[in-house]
Amino acid sequence: MRKIVLAVAMALMPGASAACTWLEPFEVSRIAGADLVILGEVTGYAPVPDSWQSALVTVRVEEVLKGRAKGEVTFVWNGGMAQGPHESRAKGRVLIGAMKGGRIAVTDMVPDARRDLPSIVQPLCGDAWMQPASAALVTKARKMLE
């Protein structure tokens, strides 16, 4: 009986029952909803101290497809339920869709690590809007933003 009660309790915990069972793939058509869309080279990655699943990603801007940016821009990458920041994903030439002033939904459970920086869009159960900048992806993004 004790094992059954423990199993039910574990299933009702937010971490276990609210976790994503499937990672929604990145869809370039949604990038039009971002405040800032840039193409650039990642020059730095650093976890945010004393934060839960957050990192700073610095990018040398090559081209701005939407919004305004120049030089180097530091983004905050706040993790979702299905995916957190990963240094291996923050390398090379990337296409980034970001929101100004942090993420949209901030809760006490998952606070925004740096509201003063643009935030890479990270859907709760989806792939981050920071993708390797293949020629095909950049072409699609440009068409979406025309």
Side-chain angles (χ1 to χ4, degrees):
M1 182 68 172
R2 177 182 272 188
K3 289 181 181 179
I4 293 172
V5 171
L6 183 58
V8 170
M10 290 296 289
L12 294 175
M13 290 178 63
S17 63
C20 302
T21 57
W22 178 70
L23 179 65
E24 182 181 342
F26 172 74
E27 179 56 52
V28 72
S29 63
R30 294 185 177 179
I31 207 162
D35 293 331
L36 177 63
V37 180
I38 66 140
L39 181 62
E41 185 78 25
V42 175
T43 60
Y45 176 92
V48 175
D50 301 323
S51 75
W52 182 82
Q53 280 197 321
S54 296
L56 302 179
V57 179
T58 305
V59 177
R60 184 177 59 249
V61 177
E62 292 177 19
E63 183 179 351
V64 178
L65 303 178
K66 183 177 180 183
R68 292 183 182 186
K70 63 181 179 178
E72 280 197 339
V73 176
T74 299
F75 296 90
V76 63
W77 183 3
N78 296 298
M81 289 178 69
Q83 183 184 68
H86 301 286
E87 187 171 9
S88 63
R89 300 239 6 235
K91 293 192 182 294
R93 193 167 179 251
V94 294
L95 176 72
I96 294 179
M99 301 304 280
K100 294 178 185 172
R103 66 175 145 199
I104 298 169
V106 177
T107 67
D108 290 339
M109 192 168 90
V110 186
D112 194 343
R114 293 286 306 267
R115 292 182 189 213
D116 58 321
L117 297 174
S119 178
I120 296 169
V121 176
Q122 172 65 70
L124 285 178
C125 290
D127 201 1
W129 291 9
M130 178 173 64
Q131 298 290 312
S134 68
L137 179 62
V138 172
T139 299
K140 286 180 185 177
R142 283 189 179 119
K143 286 182 182 176
M144 292 304 306
L145 296 168
E146 287 180 344

